[in-house]
Amino acid sequence: MYPFLRMFKELARARRMPELGLFDTHVSHHLCWPWDLDPWVELNNGRTLTLYDLGRLPLGARTGLHRVLKAKGWGMTVAGSSVRYRRRVTMFSRLTTYSHCLGWDARFLYTEQSMWTGEDCASQVLIRSAIVGSTNGARTGIVPPSELAVALGAAPESPPLPDWVEAWIAAEATRPWPPRR
């Protein structure tokens, strides 16, 4: 089950924190609870993505993203992700998550997040998000991220995406869709 209580706690905490610029970093702190574990007694890979949600949602609140989405009637969805796992996270580990926007292309917004146990990086994720529009309940498709940037008071041009992100985008473009059954 999704950890709604943790989500509400993180969003309430974010409301009391200073606003952030579009490219600033939100830092959040989490604990690996027993219900976050897999059969090997380490942080479940699916729960890892959920904990990253608990870093991205407050980032959106602090940058004004949520306010703009609500005002425009837009939504947001994860359109791709790539996770790199490097260290085990065990029960009661204290985690620090860093979340920040890297930039965008014509269709998607890219966010980088990393999860740390002390001085060790346990994992890192690249999230590709789509802003989706609707009018009177009818879907209108993907909203160009440049429109979101302007609504947030930023320039419509993204800063250059890091080379590794560009390489990931290019690799994803070669992936067949639909996949083989």
Side-chain angles (χ1 to χ4, degrees):
M1 184 163 120
Y2 197 83
F4 288 104
L5 293 177
R6 285 163 106 174
M7 180 189 74
F8 293 135
K9 180 190 84 157
E10 291 300 324
L11 288 171
R13 182 178 291 157
R15 279 195 292 276
R16 295 188 307 272
M17 298 172 100
E19 289 185 8
L20 291 175
L22 183 56
F23 300 104
D24 291 341
T25 300
H26 172 72
V27 180
S28 56
H29 303 279
H30 310 280
L31 192 62
C32 180
W33 290 105
W35 44 86
D36 296 332
L37 302 176
D38 64 17
W40 296 272
V41 197
E42 61 184 39
L43 181 60
N44 176 281
N45 61 324
R47 185 60 79 158
T48 299
L49 289 172
T50 300
L51 291 179
Y52 278 128
D53 283 352
L54 299 181
R56 251 185 349 276
L57 289 169
L59 174 68
R62 293 182 67 197
T63 59
L65 172 74
H66 295 174
R67 177 182 34 80
V68 169
L69 293 175
K70 185 176 180 179
K72 300 275 191 181
W74 295 340
M76 194 165 221
T77 187
V78 171
S81 65
S82 178
V83 185
R84 177 182 278 182
Y85 298 97
R86 286 296 180 261
R87 299 276 185 267
R88 291 183 75 212
V89 175
T90 56
M91 187 165 39
F92 302 123
S93 292
R94 295 193 176 279
L95 305 166
T96 303
T97 301
Y98 298 88
S99 308
H100 65 274
C101 174
L102 293 171
W104 53 90
D105 60 19
R107 297 183 63 207
F108 302 111
L109 183 71
Y110 296 90
T111 304
E112 177 189 18
Q113 296 178 273
S114 58
M115 190 177 293
W116 298 72
T117 56
E119 296 296 314
D120 293 324
C121 185
S123 64
Q124 175 202 35
V125 66
L126 172 65
I127 298 286
R128 176 174 62 194
S129 301
I131 302 124
V132 291
S134 64
T135 304
N136 299 327
R139 293 181 187 160
T140 58
I142 293 178
V143 175
S146 58
E147 288 185 36
L148 174 66
V150 169
L152 287 168
E157 301 83 25
S158 173
L161 292 168
D163 290 344
W164 64 273
V165 175
E166 292 285 0
W168 181 80
I169 293 167
E172 280 290 293
T174 67
R175 194 176 186 174
W177 192 261
R180 188 179 74 162
R181 291 184 188 201

